């Protein structure tokens, strides 16, 4: 039995894997594999329709927003956002909360002026900057809602008075959000939505085609919106598995139900980190992520031994990112409380065996 | 039993589906699904390494070329090719052999001057233009090697004296090519390489980073080449299934062996089209594609009845594209001669029952 704490691509529900595996042999009584059906077949069109409907229902997406399934991951959105929203000679405001936020700003700076309104780089991104002002003449404000590497999360949308764009790759579908507070949300699928290979974009329709730039059609949100995410051959299987996973989430009761589970899971692990004399958290308590829980040992020399114990217990993917060190437990939607308990048990046992 | 003649995403070998299905439950004795493993895990890194090695071996790719696995399909390459190869104010030459070639030229024209050196639009793209001159000061010459909609194929690389770029989405791995004759080859995977969601790019290293443009990193071939196709989270499953499919091709004896099979398959069907009094081919005989075989009926009113018979026989995906009409049999690598025979039998039977 493995407990998959990997940061992404990451754990998805076993039931999803079962159905996803079966569809590779035969999809929906077509006599064909999901991998060989036409993306224009009515069977696959129905998958896209259902996937979009599930996103709309689970996140309560207002009618005047488009829901798109694209390719290229969040990294491609770092470029597509300014291509679509930043006029030539215009300015955009970015909040710097770590590597991915920095990359987003860097790519945008190739297309216009970028103002970094605040950064937590002074403390290795262990907190979320709170007091900053955003230029009112910027085309949009961009922030990363959850920072996987540092284990920090922005739970309240900053109130900035200009259009808001958020990279929600690692916490979308993990907690209730009010989509109407955002102008554009994007997310690589490979955390709580599905497998790698598809990217979700939710965009207010009034922003479509507004930058005034001449851009290739494949990078134009409007082209994808007009075509219902079928402007070109979509990533069929990644969309299909995402649809299965969103069905699973709906059957569980939706985002508000999973949010309560996520709160319990994160609290259980943080409590052990705070209680255990050998471990300590790395992020400021107020900004602790519910998705990626980062912690180190008081004595870094013990970390290798704890990793060894974790491996014995089937706890996979808990090594921390090199820029933080120690450990990172990613506790996405499909990870159960029993996996959290297995990790907590290992931490307790390690403490008992060490502190005698 | 279904015979999948779909134009793409399309048939892949049954053995590939079996292994691809199993890996969704458990991949390579990891205790984890291929859909939940980290793209940075050594198990997946090994998949990318093997996939690249198979491309290099099967196509005999010279050492001074990079082999990249990207996202976004050929449509994204329509934009990335000029972003990477066409300097500001520069010119590119395009051969217009149908819808996809036209789209490629249109996207390039957003980034510079495009000269259409020849077009077969005068005869609904039923032939490949042969006599044309290419401006020697163009940055590159672009052509589509196989035109899925019209059933035409370019078997010899045009001799043009400037760098050559080819969209080989629908015939790569179907016949022997000399990669050293090309400067850049790209192909959406979803014909003979694998499922939808990954795009192959083979580029001569000396072209990397040469356009002089400031472009987002995600669209820069050099960034992907430096990172070994891991600049960002790659489309894990699509690469994995492509690797399985290329293994299958290698086990069959490689591209030269499959080319001989493809020649026999295409000849068998074209002979019946030419023999059968009810059917006729739509493409010029000299330019007939081996991958997509387009044909209509002398009497279009009989087409619905033949489609009905085809459906009864499990012949899937043979309806022609609306811009050509009639029928299109896509006969990719994994389609066996027995499926060709089933189609030929249906054509013969239909003739016997009609011409009494």
């Amino acid at each position: 039995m493995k407990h998959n704490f990997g940061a992404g691509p990451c754990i998805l529900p076993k039931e999803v894997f079962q159905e996803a595996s079966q569809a590779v042999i035969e999809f929906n009584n077509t006599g064909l594999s999901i991998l060989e059906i036409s993306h224009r077949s009515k069977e696959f069109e129905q998958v896209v329709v259902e996937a979009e409907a599930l996103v709309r229902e689970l996140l309560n997406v207002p009618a005047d927003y488009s829901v798109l399934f694209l390719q290229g991951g969040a990294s491609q959105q770092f470029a597509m956002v300014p291509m679509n929203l930043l006029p030539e000679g215009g300015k955009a405001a970015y909040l710097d909360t770590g590597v991915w936020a920095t990359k987003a700003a860097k790519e945008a700076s190739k297309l216009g002026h970028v103002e970094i309104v605040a950064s937590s780089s002074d403390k290795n991104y262990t907190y979320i900057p709170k007091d900053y002002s955003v230029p009112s003449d910027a085309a949009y404000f961009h922030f990363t809602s959850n920072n996987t590497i540092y284990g920090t999360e922005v739970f309240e949308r900053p109130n900035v008075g200009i259009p808001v764009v958020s990279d929600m790759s690692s916490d979308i579908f993990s907690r209730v959000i009010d989509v109407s507070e955002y102008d554009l949300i994007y997310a690589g699928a490979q955390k709580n939505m599905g497998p790698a290979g598809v990217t979700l974009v939710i965009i207010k329709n009034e922003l479509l085609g507004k930058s005034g730039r001449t851009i290739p059609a494949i990078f134009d949100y409007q082209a994808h919106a007009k075509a219902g995410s079928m402007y070109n051959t979509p990533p069929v299987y990644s969309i299909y598995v995402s649809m299965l996973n969103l069905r699973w989430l709906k059957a569980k009761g939706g985002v508000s139900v999973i949010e309560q589970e996520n709160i319990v899971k994160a609290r259980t692990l943080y409590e052990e980190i705070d209680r255990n004399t050998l471990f300590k958290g790395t992020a400021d308590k107020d900004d602790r992520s519910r998705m990626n829980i980062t912690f180190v040992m008081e004595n870094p020399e013990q970390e290798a031994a704890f990793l060894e114990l974790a491996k014995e217990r089937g706890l996979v993917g808990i090594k921390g990112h090199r820029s933080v060190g120690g450990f990172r437990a990613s506790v996405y939607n499909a990870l159960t409380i029993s996996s959290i308990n297995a990790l907590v048990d290992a931490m307790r046992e390690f403490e008992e065996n060490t502190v005698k």
Side-chain angles (χ1 to χ4, degrees), chain A:
Chain A
M1 166 88 192
K2 300 280 189 187
H3 303 281
N4 186 0
F5 288 92
C10 69
I11 189 169
L12 293 170
K14 293 276 177 249
E15 307 91 293
V16 168
F17 293 145
Q18 288 293 344
E19 199 164 348
S21 171
Q22 171 53 38
V24 172
I25 301 298
E26 179 171 3
F27 170 61
N28 211 11
N29 300 313
T30 54
L32 299 173
S33 165
I34 180 79
L35 302 181
E36 66 176 325
I37 60 165
S38 170
H39 62 295
R40 300 282 180 200
S41 62
K42 66 179 190 309
E43 290 86 0
F44 183 67
E45 283 184 354
Q46 189 50 46
V47 169
V48 176
V49 166
E50 183 174 348
E52 180 181 334
L54 283 164
V55 171
R56 288 189 180 276
E57 181 179 348
L58 289 165
L59 295 179
N60 194 21
V61 178
D64 61 330
Y65 284 67
S66 292
V67 171
L68 309 176
F69 300 106
L70 307 180
Q71 293 185 64
S75 292
Q76 185 153 325
Q77 294 309 307
F78 297 167
M80 283 177 66
V81 165
M83 286 169 101
N84 282 272
L85 304 189
L86 183 58
E88 296 274 359
K91 177 163 70 175
Y94 279 71
L95 182 65
D96 179 26
T97 54
V99 164
W100 300 108
T102 308
K103 281 197 186 185
K106 183 182 171 193
E107 296 307 316
S109 73
K110 293 175 180 169
L111 289 136
H113 180 67
V114 166
E115 188 170 324
I116 305 294
V117 297
S119 172
S120 47
S121 67
D122 57 337
K123 293 185 179 171
N124 197 31
Y125 300 113
T126 49
Y127 69 102
I128 302 292
K130 306 285 182 326
D131 295 315
Y132 50 85
S133 62
V134 171
S136 60
D137 60 339
Y140 61 87
F141 167 74
H142 177 284
F143 77 103
T144 312
S145 61
N146 184 69
N147 301 282
T148 50
I149 293 175
Y150 315 94
T152 62
E153 190 166 3
V154 181
F155 292 100
E156 300 252 314
R157 189 212 71 150
N159 190 0
V160 294
I162 61 173
V164 171
V165 176
S166 185
D167 175 358
M168 294 196 181
S169 294
S170 50
D171 64 353
I172 198 160
F173 297 114
S174 74
R175 59 186 171 87
V176 175
I177 54 168
D178 181 351
V179 173
S180 73
E181 291 183 343
Y182 298 83
D183 296 81
L184 194 160
I185 292 168
Y186 64 87
Q190 64 270 12
K191 317 286 185 185
N192 284 322
M193 190 170 104
V198 61
T199 311
L200 175 68
V201 171
I202 303 172
I203 181 172
K204 204 171 195 170
N205 288 337
E206 66 182 43
L207 267 68
L208 295 170
K210 282 289 157 47
S211 79
R213 293 180 190 261
T214 301
I215 55 177
I218 189 80
F219 305 136
D220 186 348
Y221 294 127
Q222 194 163 31
H224 293 285
K226 276 184 184 164
S229 295
M230 298 280 247
Y231 170 75
N232 64 331
T233 309
V236 171
Y237 192 69
S238 295
I239 293 176
Y240 172 67
V241 180
S242 296
M243 186 275 284
L244 293 179
N245 187 50
L246 295 177
R247 267 190 196 165
W248 169 85
L249 180 54
K250 181 180 170 182
K252 266 193 91 73
V255 175
S256 61
V257 169
I258 207 83
E259 180 173 18
Q260 292 309 313
E261 290 189 15
N262 287 332
I263 288 172
V264 172
K265 279 154 52 186
R267 189 175 57 211
T268 303
L269 183 51
Y270 280 123
E271 280 177 357
E272 176 60 18
I273 290 167
D274 293 339
R275 186 208 61 74
N276 196 306
T277 56
L278 303 183
F279 296 89
K280 61 179 176 186
T282 61
D284 276 16
K285 286 192 178 180
D286 288 350
D287 299 325
R288 281 174 162 179
S289 167
R290 277 186 210 139
M291 291 290 105
N292 310 97
I293 296 178
T294 51
F295 53 109
V296 295
M297 297 193 86
E298 298 284 355
N299 177 3
E301 289 180 2
Q302 296 176 328
E303 290 180 354
F306 182 70
L307 263 184
E308 198 51 45
L309 175 66
K311 197 175 166 186
E312 280 170 25
R313 298 294 159 83
L315 305 166
V316 174
I318 66 160
K319 197 171 183 337
H321 190 275
R322 64 184 178 284
S323 61
V324 175
F327 310 102
R328 171 174 55 181
S330 296
V331 297
Y332 296 118
N333 285 355
L335 190 98
T336 61
I337 187 74
S338 67
S339 291
I340 299 281
N341 291 338
L343 174 54
V344 167
D345 287 349
M347 292 166 74
R348 285 190 183 148
E349 185 182 320
F350 195 79
E351 183 189 35
E352 281 162 20
N353 292 339
T354 307
V355 189
K356 279 178 182 160

